[in-house]
Amino acid sequence: MSFNIREAVMELERHSSEKGWDQPIRVYALVATTDLVEREPALAEMLGLGEDVAADDLTPVEQEPLPSEMSIEEALGRMAWPETVAGCALVMERLVMKGSDETVAPPEGTDTGQWAKDQPDAEEVRMVAGVLRDGSRHSALRMRKYDSEDQVLNGEDLVPALTSALALTLSDDED
């Protein structure tokens, strides 16, 4: 079965946009909507889902917040999904420095977050990345400076490191 990962990611991007900026990282299980309607009829009804859903539809199910004391890399390294989950997605905001490949560092004793925000080439971005068990992936990227629906970048390889890390959470390996 081939699912519509692009539509699931773009739906999450629109949902995140409605919540505004400065939100915590959010993780979602992506489940086949037809399975959700069948297995959890009360939840499906609460979500306004009927029996007439498209076979390729995915429903994002938000998970518990990630532990605040844990890095995103560590949290993803500990994450695993049951077989009933078709894929997963993550929404996060980051501050990026554009236009340079130089390594920059704040002066010693400086609040790193505030220092980065004060840099003239700093750009706040929201990334939404989703992957499926079949290897399909899609990402969306919204810059705070260009915060409008028609300025959202999206594609398969926008944030390859993030989609690769998410794909590992779907792996069956017990290494």
Side-chain angles (χ1 to χ4, degrees):
M1 167 44 105
S2 179
F3 293 107
N4 192 342
I5 185 67
R6 181 190 183 283
E7 185 53 40
V9 165
M10 297 309 289
E11 177 184 327
L12 282 171
E13 198 291 320
R14 286 186 294 273
H15 177 73
S16 298
S17 177
E18 290 169 4
K19 290 183 175 289
W21 288 88
D22 304 317
Q23 297 294 315
I25 294 173
R26 289 194 163 83
V27 178
Y28 297 84
L30 299 176
V31 297
T33 304
T34 53
D35 288 352
L36 181 67
V37 169
E38 183 180 311
R39 292 181 187 174
E40 300 287 342
L43 177 59
E45 184 177 336
M46 193 171 80
L47 295 172
L49 302 172
E51 304 233 353
D52 59 340
V53 297
D56 67 346
D57 277 358
L58 290 164
T59 299
V61 179
E62 188 170 355
Q63 304 301 293
E64 292 292 321
L66 296 177
S68 59
E69 70 281 354
M70 191 179 293
S71 72
I72 184 69
E73 296 84 4
E74 185 178 352
L76 288 175
R78 294 179 177 198
M79 204 174 288
W81 301 97
E83 284 297 317
T84 54
V85 171
C88 61
L90 181 135
V91 178
M92 71 180 194
E93 296 175 13
R94 286 295 182 255
L95 193 64
V96 296
M97 304 296 278
K98 60 184 178 178
S100 174
D101 59 0
E102 284 183 46
T103 301
V104 291
E108 186 119 1
T110 303
D111 176 330
T112 305
Q114 189 57 52
W115 175 84
K117 283 184 177 184
D118 292 341
Q119 297 307 299
D121 292 329
E123 180 71 57
E124 291 179 81
V125 297
R126 180 183 306 116
M127 297 176 276
V128 182
V131 298
L132 297 178
R133 288 189 185 277
D134 68 5
S136 302
R137 51 186 70 196
H138 201 83
S139 304
L141 185 71
R142 182 186 292 244
M143 293 180 269
R144 193 172 195 157
K145 186 175 178 179
Y146 302 103
D147 191 4
S148 69
E149 185 92 17
D150 66 340
Q151 296 292 312
V152 176
L153 304 170
N154 76 93
E156 202 172 298
D157 291 322
L158 282 181
V159 284
L162 183 54
T163 53
S164 293
L166 284 172
L168 289 174
T169 70
L170 296 168
S171 174
D172 293 331
D173 294 343
E174 295 293 322
D175 305 335

